[in-house]
Amino acid sequence: MYSDDDLNAAVQARVLTPEAVDAFRAYMASRHGASSADDEHVRLITGFNDLFVVIAGTLLLVAVYLIAAAGSSWLGWLAVSAASWLLAEHFVRKRRMALPSIVLLGVFVTAVFATGLTLAGASAPGLVVASAMAVVAAGVHWVRFRVPITVAAGAAAAIAFVLAALVWVQPDLVRWLNTLFLGAGALVFTLALRWDASDPARRTRRSDVAFWLHLLAAPLLVHPVFSMLQVLGGDVGVLQALLVLALYLVIGLVSLCIDRRALMVSALGYVLFVFSSLIERLGAVSLGFALTALIIGSALLLLSAFWQSARTAVVGRLPGRLAARLPPLR
């Protein structure tokens, strides 16, 4: 199995010509009836050996923590961060295994964060110290290994750092957390669009970086908005349901324009909850979720089948200058 990164490396090494690689990609796209970008392809697993390595590595890291934590909890987390880095030197830097790369990055940043939190204490100052350490850890890991999810992990740690610092300085800001999360989501979403713009054909690792940033931005944007609509308590009225539906349609249009599905997936749970609660309130108690899932699931499957046609219909009606800044129509 060959990834786009492998093909790009072959071009850089002059093993293949750019024309040959483009012709191969076009052939594969026509053979499968769609462009590779249409699938929003992200490398999550390169083979069953990925799972084997993750399981074995998890057992090893748990053992390392338990042995080192016998002396002190922070020492256990520090040992896990060191062990995960050493494992990454082989399975990420040399073997380029997809799933272990993601898991080991997550373990490394989390372990560094936990080390800082254990040493500084579970308080606002402790969160500031721990999240700052996590930002540095993500940056160093990116320089060494270039795992696409690292940028999103670093962004998440940076958001935690800023929010913890703000709450430490001004505790009353806790009441404005939804607004702060919304602002953070807008910044991450903008960053994701910039990474997307650097690779509109979605053939390089930059597209994977953008994918993970979109995945981080989605809940940061969606949860505060639905929380502000006060639809999470279960007492949902018809007007609230209509507002949620209108908002989801807007999210769908944005997703079509940027050719990313993360926003729609992130908001899906809220939509299911709102409409199933409304149907149950109207009397169909046992069928509320089933009817909602049937309608929404059918609509999303239909949209998936005609995704590029829908994109053409939406993007084709936008002003030329705006459409030119969006991913190209396939």
Side-chain angles (χ1 to χ4, degrees), residues 40 77 88 167 204 279 302:
E40 204 167 346
W77 288 117
V167 172
T204 69
I279 292 174
L302 187 64

Side-chain angles (χ1 to χ4, degrees), residues 45-284:
I45 185 168
T46 51
F48 187 78
N49 194 35
D50 282 34
L51 295 174
F52 186 82
V53 169
V54 167
I55 293 171
T58 301
L59 292 174
L60 174 63
L61 292 172
V62 169
V64 167
Y65 174 80
L66 293 175
I67 294 171
S72 177
S73 179
W74 71 267
L75 190 60
W77 288 117
L78 184 62
V80 168
S81 62
S84 62
W85 182 281
L86 292 175
L87 289 174
E89 287 289 345
H90 178 74
F91 294 107
V92 179
R93 188 169 174 81
K94 293 184 178 180
R95 298 285 301 278
R96 293 293 178 185
M97 301 179 74
L99 187 59
S101 298
I102 297 170
V103 173
L104 290 173
L105 175 275
V107 170
F108 176 72
V109 175
T110 302
V112 170
F113 177 84
T115 302
L117 195 63
T118 305
L119 289 171
S123 59
L127 286 172
V128 171
V129 172
S131 54
M133 291 174 60
V135 171
V136 174
V140 173
H141 201 281
W142 171 256
V143 171
R144 180 63 173 171
F145 301 109
R146 301 281 176 174
V147 179
I149 194 177
T150 310
V151 179
I159 291 169
F161 171 77
V162 172
L163 293 183
L166 289 174
V167 172
W168 182 20
V169 174
Q170 185 55 261
D172 290 340
L173 286 175
V174 171
R175 295 180 298 174
W176 297 91
L177 276 182
N178 274 334
T179 303
L180 294 173
F181 279 127
L182 189 61
L187 290 175
V188 176
F189 183 69
T190 303
L191 182 61
L193 292 179
R194 290 181 64 87
W195 277 91
D196 262 339
S198 68
D199 181 24
R202 297 186 179 172
R203 293 176 176 173
T204 69
R205 193 175 301 174
R206 293 191 295 273
S207 177
D208 288 354
V209 172
F211 168 82
W212 292 110
L213 286 170
H214 279 294
L215 212 58
L216 172 63
L220 292 173
L221 290 171
V222 168
H223 178 77
V225 173
F226 281 97
S227 180
M228 292 173 186
L229 290 176
Q230 298 180 347
V231 298
L232 304 180
D235 187 17
V236 180
V238 176
L239 179 59
Q240 287 175 304
L242 291 176
L243 287 174
V244 168
L245 179 60
L247 179 59
Y248 196 67
L249 290 175
V250 171
I251 290 173
L253 290 174
V254 173
S255 299
L256 283 169
C257 289
I258 64 175
D259 203 11
R260 291 289 188 184
R261 298 160 177 82
L263 282 172
M264 295 185 69
V265 173
S266 184
L268 184 58
Y270 298 96
V271 178
L272 287 170
F273 174 78
V274 167
F275 279 92
S276 60
S277 298
L278 178 63
I279 292 174
E280 290 175 4
R281 184 180 176 185
L282 295 177

Side-chain angles (χ1 to χ4, degrees), residues 300-324:
L300 291 180
L301 284 174
L302 187 64
L303 177 62
S304 177
F306 297 98
W307 181 265
Q308 291 304 328
S309 299
R311 279 205 75 227
T312 301
V314 172
V315 177
R317 287 174 169 78
L318 296 176
R321 292 183 62 183
L322 177 58

